Amino acid sequence: EYIGRGAQKAVLYMQGGVPPVALNLGDCAREIVDGVTGMLVRTPEEWETKIASLVQSAELRRRMGEQAIVSASREHSHQAVFEK
C-alpha cells in the first residue's frame, strides 16, 4: 500500500510547500527529488538525520518547500495530468 499511496501524501505536502520525508520506495522515489523537493530515506539513522536537518534549518525548509511547490504544480496540475 505505501508504495503507491505514500506518494499521494507526499504530493499534498509538496503542494503546500512542506518538504516531505518519505521512504525511498515506489512512487515516493519518483515524486521526491532527495535534498531538493523533500527527503528520501531508507534507514532509521537517515530518518533521524534528515528530519533533524529540516527541524534545525528554516532556510532549508523554505528552499525545499519552494522547490516542492514548483515541482508539484508542474507535475500535478490539471493540465499536466490531462496531458498524461
Side-chain angles (χ1 to χ4, degrees):
E1 290 183 26
Y2 173 81
I3 290 175
R5 293 190 312 166
Q8 292 172 338
K9 292 177 187 176
V11 170
L12 287 174
Y13 285 119
M14 291 169 66
Q15 288 172 330
V18 177
V21 180
L23 284 173
N24 191 358
L25 293 172
D27 288 342
C28 284
R30 287 185 280 282
E31 295 293 342
I32 299 168
V33 179
D34 189 37
V36 178
T37 61
M39 301 277 196
L40 294 170
V41 299
R42 287 200 178 267
T43 66
E45 294 79 18
E46 285 183 309
W47 279 102
E48 290 178 24
T49 301
K50 291 186 175 188
I51 289 172
S53 67
L54 285 170
V55 168
Q56 294 168 1
S57 177
E59 174 58 24
L60 180 61
R61 291 191 307 272
R62 183 198 60 74
R63 185 170 23 93
M64 279 189 171
E66 288 174 357
Q67 289 298 313
I69 290 170
V70 170
S71 176
S73 297
R74 181 179 58 240
E75 300 297 321
H76 297 282
S77 69
H78 290 328
Q79 185 63 36
V81 171
F82 180 75
E83 289 173 3
K84 288 178 186 177

